[in-house]
Structures are given as structure tokens and as C-alpha cells.
Amino acid sequence: LLRGVPQRRVSLCLCQPASKVAGLAHLGSMTTATAVQRNGSRSSASPGATRSRAAVVKKEDASTLPEIAAASAKAAAAKANGEDTALSSEKHLGPSDSAAILQIYLLSGARGVFQMSRICMGPLVVSMSFEFGYTTEQKGQILSAFAAGYALTQIAGGLAADRLGGAPVIMFGLLTSGLSLFLLPWAAEAGLVQVWWLLWAMGFTQGPTYPAQLVTTAKWVTGSLRSYASALGAAGSTAGALFALGLTPIISSRVGWRQASFLMGVSTLLFGVIWWCLGSSRPPFRSDVDSGLAAASAPSLTSGKGSGSWSEILFRRVKLLTSLPVLAVYFAHSVHNFSRYFLTGWMPTYYNDILHASADNTAVQLMIPDIIGFTMSF
């Protein structure tokens, strides 16, 4: 309907109430219809009739000028006061701040718990080696088992979160991670192969949780809360690593690695209960909107309408994912994860086998990078 309205008026429509937008849309349809009639009857219309129709259009056009001027003045005043009209409109249409902030805290906590359950294996494998006599190669197998499963379910996790919602995917990851740490002592008693497959399954089921957290954050967070959610999510991840590297060596040296594994597993399950009670995939009003957008954007293979056939969509996505900027992001993220998880996995062994440091000194020094990282997250 807005096809006949100039671009400046379409922009101003975004700042107007529904009644004014409807009025401008009506004006656009009338202007378009008048233009079509004018072009269709140009050869047969008399000059007087043409001038008459132009006068009508001009009169209808002028009737909206006061509204457009008022909207322009309002936008200029908002800009002078440092306000963003788009953000304020987005905030008005989004969830309440208190509900969104609650979900931001829950997502940050979930990210920290997942990091804690993953990184605690570095200190745990040191104490496990004392009892079971693992070689360096066997330690490497244990520490790499999680990543071997984790790498397989990243894309599937994003698709599952889009279809099912992020909350059940995160809940499933919390449940399986907590149970894996709780069952770790029995797997270690059974043998190295059982430990490897248990940690592989833990990584396989935890892999979908990170894209699910991103999907859930996008559903809940709008406007200026986006930067806050991003910072708090990074802080939660660092805090989880901080607890894992700081508490696991101390608990293992004082009460045993089995108790440390139980504690991490129970902590993960307890947070799962909190997430079950309070976590949500999206605000209530978003479900119908998302369904409508998905239906509207879905391509039609039979009619050829929409954004293209599935083969065309697949080609565009593959082209995007293999472009140089995206590959650069892949590479940067790979380097970051390699250095981070290599250090968190092997530094406890290095401090114990090479430096012969005590558990307390190891914990304090391993916490230093994450203390700095936690501070810089904000």
C-alpha cells in the first residue's frame, strides 16, 4: 500500500501511531490508483480533466503535510535529546525490562555452568592420574573426548533451537552434563574407554546449548539491552571457568576427586532445576509473530514465489558461509578456542608434573587470567 508514498514518508511512518500509518497507506493507494488511471486515459483525457485530477491529488497530498511536519519535528527533538526513535519503538514492542533481564541472568548463569562442567576436567584428570596411572597420551584422549562430541552438534543445535525453542535444548544439556559428572567416578572404575565415551556423550549433548543460548538471547533482548546481554554472557562464561579452575584442585586435594566431580555434577543439576522453573525460549507474544514470519518467509517450491527455491537458498547460504570474511571469523574463533582450552586442559598437569606446585598455588595462579577476563567483560 505504501508503494505510492515517497521514501521520506515511509520512514516517517515508522514513528507514527497505527491510525496515521493507515492514513498514509490509504493516501499511497489512492495516489497509485490515480497515477494508473492517469496513464491509462492520458490519450483520451482532456487537459482540463487532467488538471482536475492533479488538483485532487495535490489536495490529498497537502492534507498530510501537517502530520508529516509534526512527525519530523518530533524526530528532530528526540535526536536532540539523545534518544533513538527506533530503539524506543523496539523497546516499546519488546518484553518488559524486568522479564528480559531475568532471562539475561539465567542465560549468563547457564553459560557459566556449562563452562564449569567442561573445564573442571583439566584439574580432575590430574587427581585421576594418581589413582589410575594415566599416561600423557591417555590424558590427552580424556581431555579431547568432550570436544570430539561437541563439534558434531553445533549446527544441529541451532536448527533445534529454532524449531523447538532454546529453553528445552539448554535444559537437556544441563541434565546430561550434570549426570555425566555425577557418573564419572563409576566410568573411571570401569576403564579408560568408558571415561572417553561418557565425556564424548557429554560434549555431544552440550554442543547444541551454545547456539540455543544465542537464539534465546535474540528472542528476548532488544534495543540497548543487547550490549548488556553480550557483556553479561561473556562474564558468565569467564566466571564458570574461574570456579572450575579455582575450586576443583582445592576440593580434589582435600576431599578427593570423586567428591569434586559429584559437587560439579550436583551444581549443574541444581541450576537445571532453576532453569526449568524460570527459563523461557521467548516472550509470550513472540510465538505468534515468529510463526507468521516463518510462514511468510518460507519459499514455495511449486509456485516459485518467495525468496527462491530451496536449491537457490542453499547456494546462497553456502556462498555466504565460504566467503572470506566468514572464514576469517571461523579462523579467529578456532585460534581463540585452541589457546583457551589447551591452557585450561593442560596447565593443571603442567603445574603438577613439571613445576610440582601445590593444589592451592595451582588454583590461585590458574585463576589469574579468568579474573582479568571477568573484569574486562564489562
Side-chain angles (χ1 to χ4, degrees), residues 53-64:
R53 283 193 296 267
V56 171
V57 173
K58 185 175 181 180
K59 181 178 180 181
E60 292 173 344
D61 208 2
S63 65
T64 61

Side-chain angles (χ1 to χ4, degrees), residues 343-359:
L343 292 176
T344 56
W346 283 104
M347 285 303 287
T349 299
Y350 177 78
Y351 270 85
N352 179 79
D353 296 352
I354 306 300
L355 300 181
H356 304 290
S358 65

Side-chain angles (χ1 to χ4, degrees), residues 19 23 58 69 116 185 216 220 230 242 246 252 263 278 282 325 343 351 354-355 373:
S19 59
K58 185 175 181 180
M116 179 186 68
T216 307
W220 274 99
S230 177
L242 191 64
S252 298
L263 177 63
L278 301 176
R282 61 176 65 86
L343 292 176
Y351 270 85
I354 306 300
L355 300 181

Side-chain angles (χ1 to χ4, degrees), residues 101-117 166-167 169-179 209 213 232 236-237 240 243 262-280:
I101 289 175
L102 173 62
Q103 297 303 315
I104 290 173
Y105 280 116
L106 288 173
L107 290 167
S108 176
R111 192 169 173 183
V113 169
F114 285 129
Q115 282 288 297
M116 179 186 68
S117 63
V169 177
I170 295 173
M171 183 67 227
F172 184 69
L174 290 169
L175 178 63
T176 55
S177 297
L179 290 177
T209 59
Q213 294 172 58
L232 203 61
S237 175
F243 281 109
F262 287 152
L263 177 63
M264 297 297 173
V266 170
S267 300
T268 304
L269 292 175
L270 288 177
F271 186 84
V273 174
I274 298 174
W275 178 263
W276 176 266
C277 296
L278 301 176
S280 179

Side-chain angles (χ1 to χ4, degrees), residues 6 75 132 165 193 237 268 292 303 310 373:
F132 300 104
V193 175
S237 175
T268 304
S303 64
W310 288 110

Side-chain angles (χ1 to χ4, degrees), residues 41-119:
S41 59
R42 180 175 297 175
S43 59
S44 60
S46 63
T50 303
R51 286 193 298 270
S52 177
R53 283 193 296 267
V56 171
V57 173
K58 185 175 181 180
K59 181 178 180 181
E60 292 173 344
D61 208 2
S63 65
T64 61
L65 290 180
E67 295 180 354
I68 296 174
S72 178
K74 183 178 180 180
K79 185 176 181 180
N81 294 331
E83 300 175 356
D84 191 336
T85 305
L87 289 181
S88 60
S89 175
E90 188 176 17
K91 183 177 179 182
H92 174 72
L93 294 175
S96 64
D97 286 346
S98 58
I101 289 175
L102 173 62
Q103 297 303 315
I104 290 173
Y105 280 116
L106 288 173
L107 290 167
S108 176
R111 192 169 173 183
V113 169
F114 285 129
Q115 282 288 297
M116 179 186 68
S117 63
R118 176 180 185 173
I119 291 177

Side-chain angles (χ1 to χ4, degrees), residues 43 240 250 277 312 364:
S43 59
I250 297 176
C277 296
E312 294 173 346
V364 170

Side-chain angles (χ1 to χ4, degrees), residues 98-313:
S98 58
I101 289 175
L102 173 62
Q103 297 303 315
I104 290 173
Y105 280 116
L106 288 173
L107 290 167
S108 176
R111 192 169 173 183
V113 169
F114 285 129
Q115 282 288 297
M116 179 186 68
S117 63
R118 176 180 185 173
I119 291 177
C120 71
M121 282 307 304
L124 283 177
V125 77
V126 174
S127 300
M128 294 169 65
S129 299
F130 287 139
E131 181 173 345
F132 300 104
Y134 295 142
T135 64
T136 302
E137 182 180 354
Q138 290 173 330
K139 292 178 183 177
Q141 293 174 358
I142 293 174
L143 293 175
S144 63
F146 180 94
Y150 190 88
L152 299 177
T153 52
Q154 295 286 295
I155 298 177
L159 297 175
D162 284 333
R163 180 175 295 271
L164 305 175
V169 177
I170 295 173
M171 183 67 227
F172 184 69
L174 290 169
L175 178 63
T176 55
S177 297
L179 290 177
S180 297
L181 290 174
F182 196 79
L183 296 174
L184 180 62
W186 286 280
E189 294 285 352
L192 179 65
V193 175
Q194 286 75 8
V195 172
W196 193 92
W197 280 109
L198 177 67
L199 295 177
W200 181 91
M202 176 180 171
F204 186 85
T205 56
Q206 194 179 126
T209 59
Y210 184 67
Q213 294 172 58
L214 299 180
V215 171
T216 307
T217 301
K219 300 291 186 183
W220 274 99
V221 179
T222 59
S224 59
L225 286 178
R226 287 174 180 155
S227 58
Y228 180 74
S230 177
L232 203 61
S237 175
T238 307
L242 191 64
F243 281 109
L245 296 174
L247 293 179
T248 307
I250 297 176
I251 297 174
S252 298
S253 64
R254 283 168 169 74
V255 297
W257 68 270
R258 288 177 174 81
Q259 286 71 22
S261 182
F262 287 152
L263 177 63
M264 297 297 173
V266 170
S267 300
T268 304
L269 292 175
L270 288 177
F271 186 84
V273 174
I274 298 174
W275 178 263
W276 176 266
C277 296
L278 301 176
S280 179
S281 299
R282 61 176 65 86
F285 73 92
R286 285 295 296 265
S287 57
D288 296 335
V289 175
D290 293 339
S291 301
L293 290 177
S297 60
S300 174
L301 296 178
T302 58
S303 64
K305 297 179 180 180
S307 57
S309 65
W310 288 110
S311 60
E312 294 173 346
I313 294 176

